[in-house]
Amino acid sequence: MGSSAITAITIGLCLVLVAVYFASDSYRVMQNVIITTGLSENSYVKSALNFLKPDEKDQGSSVARDDLNKPKKSQQLLLSPEELKSYDGGPDSKGLYLAILGEIFDVEKGAQHYRPGGGYSFFVGRDAARAYITGDFSETGLIDDVSDLDSASLASLEDWLSFYKEEYKPVGKVVGKYYDFNGQPTELLLSIREKMNVGKGNKWAEDKNKEIFPPCNSEWSKERGSKVWCSKKSGGIDREWVGVPRELHIQGKDPRCVCVKNYGPPSTDPNSNQHNNNGDLDYPLLKEYPNCPPASESCTVSHP
């Protein structure tokens, strides 16, 4: 179609629009335009409608520009601590985000708690990992530094991370202390994770020791020294299995003798069909007694 025809269609479209709103003989106006352009009525209407459509290239460019600051589904958002402040739920806020150990969560689902005035609003727009442990919600306590805390304290922070991962959407990482510019964990974060794992092991052992690791029976005599052994009622815990003696080493405490189930699935996953038939013997804080057969139900030891 020539440029003159396009111009005529454009002028005609404007005339039709004017006629629709201001003239009583709008149809006659359109007929005059159709005669001028030489198009059929259907072709004219179709051309006019196509003219009204936004240019796809321009539209695509506009969409692309709008999406520049939006992370793709497969791309995580990387923010500096300063940028995270703009997601505090305030009047000009970009969203409602908080971070724990550098992991950013979108807490819009719980906006009533996290927006300004809410009970947890002080957590938003920052990484306040330390406050989840210490309960210090002052400005000096709402910080991300947990490097000086012990493993038991860090284990409770792991519980908070699990809660947010289950209840809210993870959207990215804070670049700086715990993640680098590629979103990869820093050496500091890796060392903290190691302490958290130790803390989780300690906490699990303490909570479950009377059920999973009952204390051994023990006796001492001058002639024979010390002896530890297991039975179905050792430690005052009635059970269906006897177990074998092992030393349980919990950080900050003296090793002690416990009876460990030595067959079937581990107690942490009792319904598992895939296991080594070792019971709880693979638990990392257990050690065998020196010079005692691994499958023996009793051991002679130097320190009971």
Side-chain angles (χ1 to χ4, degrees), residues 207-257:
D207 291 344
K208 298 295 183 179
N209 60 9
K210 288 188 177 180
E211 296 179 9
I212 298 177
F213 300 130
C216 303
N217 298 310
S218 64
E219 66 177 12
W220 178 87
S221 68
K222 187 176 181 180
E223 295 79 17
R224 292 179 295 181
S226 298
K227 175 185 177 183
V228 292
W229 76 97
C230 295
S231 67
K232 289 186 177 182
K233 291 186 178 182
S234 58
I237 305 298
D238 291 327
R239 53 190 185 276
E240 297 179 353
W241 49 272
V242 175
V244 294
R246 292 290 187 272
E247 273 191 332
L248 178 61
H249 291 254
I250 296 178
Q251 188 177 23
K253 295 186 177 183
D254 293 332
R256 61 186 180 86
C257 182

Side-chain angles (χ1 to χ4, degrees), residues 140-160:
T140 56
L142 291 165
I143 58 176
D144 60 355
D145 185 12
V146 297
S147 58
D148 61 324
L149 299 179
D150 59 29
S151 58
S153 298
L154 291 173
S156 65
L157 188 59
E158 177 69 22
D159 293 336
W160 280 107

